[in-house]
């Protein structure tokens, strides 16, 4: 259930033709609360292994992938956990038939995968894979509300086997997942930064990576790293939704080769995720290169961007990282090829791995620092139109760390690796860089009005920490920087102006001018969750962000400020803006201001409410010069026939003066 035209969408600013008129918009949000079994297959004795829960196309789906020692018909069996009796599934449990094929010779056996559909919110489910008479162990996951806020965890480069000690790497990986899910039991996704293993087709490393039960309890959104790409095991182990495996998204242009590839996307609770195979970056390799990826991102956002409030990209090769790979020629190429497109498309956040160190970029627009005055380590950032935050995750397993490297004189934009003028030890693009040789993970809180990105320690210098155990230094202290402590935290507040979301910037009026602006930060106007009244309708209330009017003109000419609202929308669901009414008032009198008339909700009087232009405030000819602050109480009443959802609308403010 998603807002199809959210307040955060990037659309042209609505303007009205009128003498000396200015217009802008406020965003409004209101929320409303509220399979057949396949024929049984013959029993078999296949050994089932490598079971992993994956992300689906949306919150109502999950994928499950596994290995089988025999080429037999298999499926997923699913039921609400509450319906299991003595661990036994009910006779009418849902089943989902699996697809698959033979694995490559070095992997052996066969791969299977199926998609679970039709999940209900706030439900604990149990599932198992296999066939009648030969089922796997039963595993469980839970869904949460399909609307509203949620958290997901981003995990960088487990790269099991990289240290040379598979068991040690597995122990660190297991410990990070234990720490992260214990601290965040209601996290809804585990998002990969790539490099699940050190060697693409070494199944002992895959077995160690897949050992933690969290990978059967939380959906894993896989990403292809450079250590995963050189074989088919990645594709054998993971089924991803909406995947395009055209030659353009393979490094060598050949999906039939012994390599993995493909780009994919999914929407989860108002976040559009797009995952890219960044191993394919140059057409000289045989694939479509970076140009194919930017076209893919553009096409997906054009087709589906209006279905989500946030846009998050994920790929392996960090273009704004602080360590050994910062100056790699391939990353410099991506650093030129990607940022302008991402800024143009209104991408909010880019998650990356590869460099085994942590960094948080400044807001980057078109390959340059968006705001030269943004300070290092700022706790809150405001992207404005085109500003994008790039985050690089450190190792989640402790199998490998890269030390931070020094800037050079190659420039402070584009492909350059020059120093930050505000912090010369850092690269120009990084607000925060960190490497302590301890494991960490990134938590992302998705909220209506912001994204909160937090890097958290999942270990200390102590074991399990493979690289440190083998002699690498460690600057962390368990007392000063314990497990769970924060390395870095930033809140990303989206631009709210219509055309670049719903914020508007109007300069202070020069002497002798008329002007207006939003008084303070133009945040989302959240009407909360509507309440049912009298058994036949819902109500919600709120206040607009105040409008500050300033008139210093010598002509003492009249002025007026009015507004109208669009329909409220959530994907294909909608209800009329006529159901919104208001009561204007003066917060601060001045400039001859008079409050506009109250307008009833169309639910009360079958009228048009604020779906047509209504006066917020005005002043007559000859009024005194000065300032006024206009406000209005909002009154939304809607029939209870409106479907559950998180609905958004645009309130367009228009000022007229002669």
């Amino acid at each position: 259930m998603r807002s199809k035209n959210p307040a955060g969408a990037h659309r042209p600013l609505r303007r009205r033709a009128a003498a000396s008129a200015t217009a802008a918009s406020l965003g409004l949000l209101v929320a409303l609360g509220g399979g057949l079994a396949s024929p049984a297959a013959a029993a078999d004795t296949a050994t089932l292994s490598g079971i992993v829960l994956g992300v689906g196309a949306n919150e109502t789906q999950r994928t499950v992938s596994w290995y089988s020692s025999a080429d037999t018909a298999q499926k997923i069996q699913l039921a609400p956990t509450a319906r299991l009796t003595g661990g036994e599934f009910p006779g009418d449990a849902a089943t989902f038939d699996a697809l698959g094929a033979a694995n490559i010779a070095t992997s052996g056996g066969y791969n299977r995968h199926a998609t679970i559909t039709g999940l209900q919110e706030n439900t604990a489910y149990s599932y198992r894979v296999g066939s009648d008479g030969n089922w796997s162990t039963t595993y469980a996951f839970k869904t949460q509300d399909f609307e509203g806020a949620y958290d997901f965890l981003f995990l960088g480069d487990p790269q099991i086997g990289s240290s040379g000690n598979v068991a040690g790497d597995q122990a660190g990986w297991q410990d990070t997942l234990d720490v992260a899910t214990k601290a965040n039991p209601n996290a809804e996704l585990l998002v990969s930064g790539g490099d699940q293993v050190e060697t693409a087709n070494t199944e002992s490393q895959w077995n160690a990576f897949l050992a933690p039960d969290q990978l059967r309890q939380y959906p894993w959104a896989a990403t292809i790293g450079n250590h995963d790409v050189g074989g088919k095991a990645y594709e054998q182990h993971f089924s991803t939704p909406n995947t395009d495996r055209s030659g353009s998204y393979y490094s060598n242009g050949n999906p039939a080769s012994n390599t993995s590839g493909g780009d994919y996307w999914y929407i989860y609770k108002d976040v559009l995720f797009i995952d890219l195979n960044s191993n394919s970056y140059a057409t000289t390799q045989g694939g479509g290169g970076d140009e194919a990826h930017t076209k893919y991102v553009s096409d997906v956002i054009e087709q589906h961007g209006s279905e989500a409030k946030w846009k998050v990209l994920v790929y392996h090769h960090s273009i704004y990282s602080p360590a050994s790979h910062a100056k790699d020629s391939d990353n410099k190429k991506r650093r030129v090829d990607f940022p302008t497109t991402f800024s143009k498309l209104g991408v909010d956040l880019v998650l990356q791995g590869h460099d085994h160190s942590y960094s948080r970029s400044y807001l980057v627009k078109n390959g340059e620092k968006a705001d030269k005055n943004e300070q290092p380590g700022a706790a809150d950032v405001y992207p404005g139109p085109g500003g994008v935050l790039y985050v690089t995750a450190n190792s989640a397993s402790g199998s490998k760390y890269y030390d931070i490297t020094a800037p050079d004189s190659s420039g402070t934009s584009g492909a350059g690796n020059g120093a930050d003028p505000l912090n010369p030890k850092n690269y120009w693009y990084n607000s925060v860089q960190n490497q302590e040789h301890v494991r960490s993970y990134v938590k992302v809180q998705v909220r209506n009005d912001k994204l909160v990105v937090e890097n958290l320690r999942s270990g200390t210098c102590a074991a399990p920490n493979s690289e440190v155990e083998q002699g690498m230094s460690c600057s962390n202290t368990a007392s000063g920087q314990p497990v769970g402590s924060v390395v870095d935290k930033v809140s990303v507040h989206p631009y709210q102006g219509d055309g670049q979301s719903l914020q508007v910037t109007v300069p202070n009026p020069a002497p002798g001018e008329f002007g207006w602006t939003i008084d303070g930060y133009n945040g989302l106007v959240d009407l909360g969750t509507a309440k049912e009244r009298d058994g036949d309708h819902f109500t919600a209330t709120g206040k607009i962000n105040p409008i500050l009017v300033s008139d210093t003109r010598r002509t003492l000419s009249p002025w007026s400020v009015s507004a109208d609202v669009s329909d409220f929308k959530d994907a294909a669901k909608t209800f009329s803006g006529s159901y919104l009414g208001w009561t204007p008032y003066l917060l601060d009198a001045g400039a001859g201001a008079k409050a506009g008339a109250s307008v009833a909700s169309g639910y009360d009087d079958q009228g048009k409410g604020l779906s047509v232009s209504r006066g917020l405030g005005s002043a007559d000819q000859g009024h005194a010069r000065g300032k006024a602050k206009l406000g209005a109480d909002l009154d939304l009443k809607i029939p209870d026939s409106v479907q559950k959802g998180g609905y958004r609308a645009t309130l367009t403010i228009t000022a007229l003066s002669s």
Side-chain angles (χ1 to χ4, degrees), residues 46-63:
T47 300
L48 308 172
S49 61
I51 300 169
V52 58
L53 185 68
V55 69
N58 56 47
E59 59 275 0
T60 72
Q61 298 183 7
R62 300 289 188 273
T63 61

Side-chain angles (χ1 to χ4, degrees), residues 14-29:
R14 292 177 58 193
R15 295 196 180 274
R16 300 183 174 186
S20 302
T22 59
S25 303
L26 300 172
L28 306 175
L29 169 68

Side-chain angles (χ1 to χ4, degrees), residues 201-242:
N201 289 331
T202 300
E203 289 298 338
S204 60
Q205 295 175 5
W206 282 105
N207 292 339
F209 167 77
L210 293 170
D213 270 347
Q214 285 90 343
L215 296 180
R216 284 161 286 285
Q217 300 164 346
Y218 297 83
W220 179 254
T223 298
I224 304 174
N226 59 297
H227 286 265
D228 307 313
V229 74
K232 282 297 185 190
Y234 173 92
E235 291 184 8
Q236 293 167 182
H237 278 295
F238 301 123
S239 175
T240 52
N242 303 314

Side-chain angles (χ1 to χ4, degrees), residues 597-611:
S598 295
V599 177
S601 164
Y603 182 86
D604 288 332
D605 64 1
Q606 291 72 54
K608 295 184 177 180
L610 292 182
S611 67

Side-chain angles (χ1 to χ4, degrees), residues 297-315:
V297 174
S298 299
D299 289 346
V300 170
I301 290 178
E302 179 181 359
Q303 295 171 31
H304 302 285
S306 63
E307 300 171 35
K309 297 182 178 77
W310 303 96
K311 303 175 185 70
V312 175
L313 302 188
V314 186
Y315 53 79

Side-chain angles (χ1 to χ4, degrees), residues 616-627:
L616 176 64
S618 63
D620 297 329
Q621 174 68 39
H623 66 81
R625 287 181 287 176
K627 296 181 179 180

